[in-house]
Amino acid sequence: MGEIFDDGANPGRKRPFAMRPVMQALIDQDGGWLERWTDMAGGAETAIVWDAHLGGHAICLIGIESRNVLRFGEQANEGPNEWTGGTLFPLSSKKVARAINAASGNRPVIVLANLSGFDGSPESMRKLQLEYGAEIARAVVNFVGPILFVVVSRYHGGAYVVFSRALNRGLYAVAFEGAFASVIGGVPAATVIFGREVQSRTDMDPRVTALREHLKSDSDLSPAETAELRNRLERLIAEVAAEKQSEIAREFDATHTAERACAVGSLDAVVSPRHLRRLLIERLDSLAQTSHSQGPEGP
């Protein structure tokens, strides 16, 4: 499983992987687990909810599936062909909110998140994606007890908001070394925010400027040759723009690392995967001791 978190084998932490083995490696091996709401389909497959134990503590463990899941049954034309890994759809959002609400006041919640955000397709919008996403935020705000949030690979989009530490002071957020955490990922940022920078770098690329100059200065070209040259220029501009977009996305991701998120207060710590289990158990032990010392009525 180490290749999932190895920068050489998985650069940019974009490689798909199954989340259940990661969840199984975290929990107590002698206690087993019970998967909740397994009959929820239609996008709920990307959210995995287990009742399990960690260090002897009863927990609700939520994992976000990190590989695409086949979609069966009737499909809307305006929706995805597969349930995309690392993405919450309306019913998976509903499942996560239900799990947090069910655990409130009786056991801690641990979330293993490789989460790029909520699906924004017209189908998901029509099926109450915004409402169910807001239900997660409401569940976090109202949750009584500790929420331990772990960024396994990437953490972007609306999820960055609904699992914010500002919503509940009992939320403790950490990330694995090499993970990425920001409101928007590198590729969307390059596409939406830095469009002018992509255009500027494309225009200044030597390949583009050379072909433009050739088209402008060569007056001996026939109309057919001119048309062919213009077509070549359009194809070249598209290719170079894609290169520059990827270049800017890499630069953005290199800046918006988990370490930066920790420095600005969005995360509490950056940890090694091999130390996560011990860290979470120590955290649960400490919280349990504090709760016992305060008594049932609190401080």
Side-chain angles (χ1 to χ4, degrees), residues 185-251:
V187 174
T191 305
V192 178
I193 300 175
F194 300 109
R196 290 185 179 180
E197 179 64 19
V198 171
Q199 184 64 52
S200 176
R201 294 191 188 187
T202 301
D203 290 339
M204 292 187 296
D205 187 90
R207 293 166 292 177
V208 174
T209 56
L211 190 54
R212 274 181 175 156
E213 185 61 31
H214 177 45
L215 183 61
K216 180 180 178 180
S217 60
D218 196 336
S219 57
D220 296 330
L221 294 173
S222 67
E225 290 172 330
T226 300
E228 173 60 26
L229 219 61
R230 290 186 184 279
N231 289 334
R232 283 178 52 194
L233 179 60
E234 289 180 4
R235 292 194 297 269
L236 179 62
I237 289 175
E239 293 172 3
V240 174
E243 291 177 10
K244 301 305 180 184
Q245 198 172 79
S246 298
E247 180 182 285
I248 292 173
R250 289 193 297 270
E251 293 173 1

Side-chain angles (χ1 to χ4, degrees), residues 38 43 47 50 67 99 143 159 193 247 297:
T38 56
W50 286 2
R67 59 181 178 179
F143 187 80
I193 300 175
E247 180 182 285
E297 300 301 323

Side-chain angles (χ1 to χ4, degrees), residues 102-223:
S104 180
N106 59 71
R107 59 193 183 279
V109 165
I110 297 177
V111 182
L112 299 182
N114 177 30
L115 190 51
S116 60
F118 298 93
D119 180 59
S121 69
E123 179 190 21
S124 289
M125 294 296 101
R126 179 167 49 82
K127 292 186 175 181
L128 307 182
Q129 178 68 288
L130 295 177
E131 287 82 349
Y132 288 134
E135 284 301 313
I136 297 177
R138 187 193 303 274
V140 171
V141 169
N142 295 332
F143 187 80
V144 177
I147 300 177
L148 309 181
F149 188 85
V150 183
V151 180
V152 174
S153 292
R154 304 185 73 90
Y155 175 40
H156 305 300
Y160 199 85
V161 178
V162 298
F163 286 108
S164 169
R165 294 171 61 217
L167 298 183
N168 189 313
R169 64 180 182 176
L171 194 152
Y172 178 74
V174 301
F176 284 163
E177 295 169 345
F180 298 89
S182 59
V183 174
I184 189 170
V187 174
T191 305
V192 178
I193 300 175
F194 300 109
R196 290 185 179 180
E197 179 64 19
V198 171
Q199 184 64 52
S200 176
R201 294 191 188 187
T202 301
D203 290 339
M204 292 187 296
D205 187 90
R207 293 166 292 177
V208 174
T209 56
L211 190 54
R212 274 181 175 156
E213 185 61 31
H214 177 45
L215 183 61
K216 180 180 178 180
S217 60
D218 196 336
S219 57
D220 296 330
L221 294 173
S222 67

